Amino acid sequence: MTLATPTHCPYCSLQCGLNLQQAGGALTVVERPDFPVNRGALCIKGQTSADLLHSAERLTTPLVRDSKSGELRPATWDEALDMVAAALIAAQAKYGTDAVGVFGGGSLTNEKAYQLGKFARVALRTSTIDYNGRFCMSSAAAANLRAFGLDRGLPFPLEDIAGTDCILLIGSNLAETMPPAQRYFTEQRERGGSLIVVDPRATPTARNATLHLQPLPGTDLALALGLIHIAVQKGYIDQPFIDERTTGWPQVQAISMEYMPHRVERITGVPAKQLYEAARLIGEAPTGMVLTARGAEQHSKGTDTVSAWINLALALGKAGRAHCGYGCLTGQGNGQGGREHGQKADQLPGYRKIDDPVARAYVAGVWGVDPNSLPGPGPSAYELLDSLGEPSGVRALLVMGSNPVISAPRAAHIEAKLRRLDCLIVADYFMSETAAIADVVLPSAQFAEEDGTMTNLEGRVIRRNKAVPPPSGSRTDLEILAELAKRLGHTEGFSSQPELVFEELRRASAGGPADYAGITYARIDAEYGVFWPCPEESHPGTPRMFEERFNTADGRARFVPVTHRAAAEEPDSEYPIWFTTGRVMAQYQSGTQTRRVDRLNEASPEAFVEMHPRLAKSLGITDGETVRVISRRGWVEVKVRIVSSIRPDLVFMPFHWGGKGRANSLTNPALDPTSRMPEFKLCAVRIERLVTTTD
Ligand code: SF4
């Protein structure tokens, strides 16, 4: 009999179910049609994910930087862990507790994210902890909290999308980034529904839409206000819903009156006729959903932009009832759970606020420590990285599940800062670009080599099951944290057993907004996941939220008054072209995993820059030519792809590669004032040819 282990894809927030099957001594991916989210479908990344388990590039020995040669050399676990503990203790003794920082990731399991937060607050007593999820969807999280009093990416199961009459999708290319989710959109269209896509690029997702709005990047906020304006003008507003279930409409309505269609056309570049058509499609539809992703969120005004889209959903009465609602399509595998259990700078487990005295007392009780010993909120991800090596900043940093050399904005600046640290420690399973410059590299286990839970974009808590033991010489992140905690004087309280950590997480989250108290490993297995909040084992979980009331004190959703403002950096005579970033189907995030898979590299071997034929012609550039793209922060050298699917004033680059193809060498770290998310989606560049011609 062939053995198969049901588990989940190691990549994006859809967390597609798959089976890993032993065949001839190796594991292969086979369909898992019973898992309801993807019903067996996988994109090329999921299909090839078992290759990660057999990769010859796996790290299997701790490495330490030799003080004489300056090179990384193999070490024993004891030597490496002793070195790490000594460096952390020395940095804190010399510079204070906050001089040791912790940087986590949105791909870590719930157990690891929880334990990492506890490790920082209890074992290190540092406030300096944040994670790369801050780069992913923190603007939507902040807007969700403002409007609904709770942040869960989708407040409904993905399958509900198939039953809605109109979808307004902003800044997502899910046909390429999340292909198995496409089936719900296809079903929706087959039922006669409509799809409006807002994207400056005519992506495969946009090309399939009923209507594609192609605004100037960074103008979505004005676009949303313009649609509210038209909705008022045309009588699409759902006044009974507004009166019964919301507060704050008059202010938002008054602001929207300033966004006349011709003005919005001037700001966004979207013809007024298309604005009317979009407002009509969603305004006249009996049910509708508004969904945002990174295109709306990764801006210095991302929170306000998402608030504007939520305002539109509320004004149309398309929230808090069946087949209606606002949702965010989370990016990273555990982008949702990763921000609920304490690795975010301002949070304690259960999505509790770290500056709330009641929350502090409760969690300190679970942890068996004095509430006064818990640090307060720390700096956000970019601010943490920008403080590295500074006199009052971080001097020693533990990175777990992240590759900021590739993924941080203004990446060359951040890389230089990482190199200046007294001690950089990286736990990873491949030699990422960040691990390559570390002082200590700790080889860790990856998906399918350890148990744990993830929370997908729907708020569904699922199990990642272990199918094989980790390779000899590596350890799980939980084992690493337990060993380090021991060396810092905490012989108890840091279990390396995932289920025991999850049991503690359940207690720590009990009563919090993201309440996992009623979720057990056994239930997850039996029910294909359990949706939080789930306060008791007898509770069915909460697939659909807000149908009775929103999570605010009065149960009403809040309209948030917001107005359009310019991007932090706009094109000028020196840098005349807009620049934006995103993903391609066959690579994922910083590429630490996907760049190790042959089939993925064959499909997407290198970085490139997309530009419109008109722009290419004006610059004398030909398809396939290598050009230099320069911003105020750095430069890249990449091949050109000439495509008519992009606006002529904009160029696009995927961000999965390093070296001369590192898109984040160019990006602007201007932060959203609320979410502290950087403006990855927009900056100004100029393009130079590397060859000169005589004609
Ligand atoms: Fe994996 Fe996401 Fe692809 Fe599904 S859509 S197979 S979760 S990368």
Side-chain angles (χ1 to χ4, degrees), residues 55-119:
S55 172
E57 294 183 61
R58 281 298 299 279
L59 295 172
T60 54
T61 310
L63 301 168
V64 299
R65 197 160 294 281
D66 189 87
S67 55
K68 288 196 187 114
S69 70
E71 300 295 321
L72 285 171
R73 63 163 174 82
T76 65
W77 271 100
D78 275 342
E79 182 188 6
L81 291 167
D82 287 348
M83 201 167 156
V84 171
L88 300 181
I89 290 166
Q92 290 194 317
K94 198 163 171 193
Y95 304 108
T97 50
D98 285 349
V100 168
V102 175
F103 199 83
S107 60
L108 298 178
T109 61
N110 289 319
E111 291 80 355
K112 295 182 196 183
Y114 169 84
Q115 199 79 318
L116 194 63
K118 181 180 178 184
F119 177 79

Side-chain angles (χ1 to χ4, degrees), residues 222-343:
L223 186 64
L225 288 166
L227 295 181
I228 296 173
H229 179 104
I230 295 171
V232 173
Q233 196 185 55
K234 294 286 183 183
Y236 301 140
I237 299 301
D238 187 340
Q239 199 60 49
F241 175 86
I242 291 172
D243 293 342
E244 209 181 306
R245 303 216 40 201
T246 71
T247 59
W249 168 240
Q251 241 184 310
V252 168
Q253 184 182 10
I255 291 170
S256 74
M257 290 303 98
E258 297 164 23
Y259 288 81
M260 291 76 71
H262 64 272
R263 181 182 171 213
V264 173
E265 176 174 333
R266 256 200 331 272
I267 297 172
T268 64
V270 176
K273 200 172 154 212
Q274 289 187 0
L275 296 174
Y276 278 104
E277 178 59 4
R280 187 192 68 76
L281 282 172
I282 191 157
E284 290 184 350
T287 58
M289 290 178 176
V290 176
L291 305 174
T292 67
R294 308 302 82 69
E297 297 154 14
Q298 289 179 322
H299 293 275
S300 59
K301 56 177 179 296
T303 306
D304 284 357
T305 300
V306 176
S307 288
W309 290 116
I310 292 175
N311 288 343
L312 175 67
L314 293 174
L316 299 173
K318 298 213 162 43
R321 61 188 176 91
H323 300 296
C324 287
Y326 161 76
C328 163
L329 298 168
T330 309
Q332 295 195 76
N334 202 24
Q336 181 69 48
R339 68 178 183 274
E340 294 166 358
H341 297 298
Q343 64 173 331

Side-chain angles (χ1 to χ4, degrees), residues 123-144:
L124 292 171
R125 294 198 177 183
T126 181
S127 71
T128 318
I129 173 169
D130 211 50
Y131 79 126
N132 63 20
R134 181 79 69 170
F135 298 159
C136 183
M137 57 163 295
S138 53
S139 293
N144 257 331

Side-chain angles (χ1 to χ4, degrees), residues 9-16 18 38 41-47 177-181 583 588:
C9 173
Y11 300 113
C12 86
S13 66
L14 204 56
Q15 283 301 289
C16 293
L18 53 82
N38 61 311
L42 296 169
C43 77
I44 187 172
K45 297 191 291 291
Q47 290 162 13
T177 57
M178 217 177 251
R583 296 204 267 132
Y588 184 70

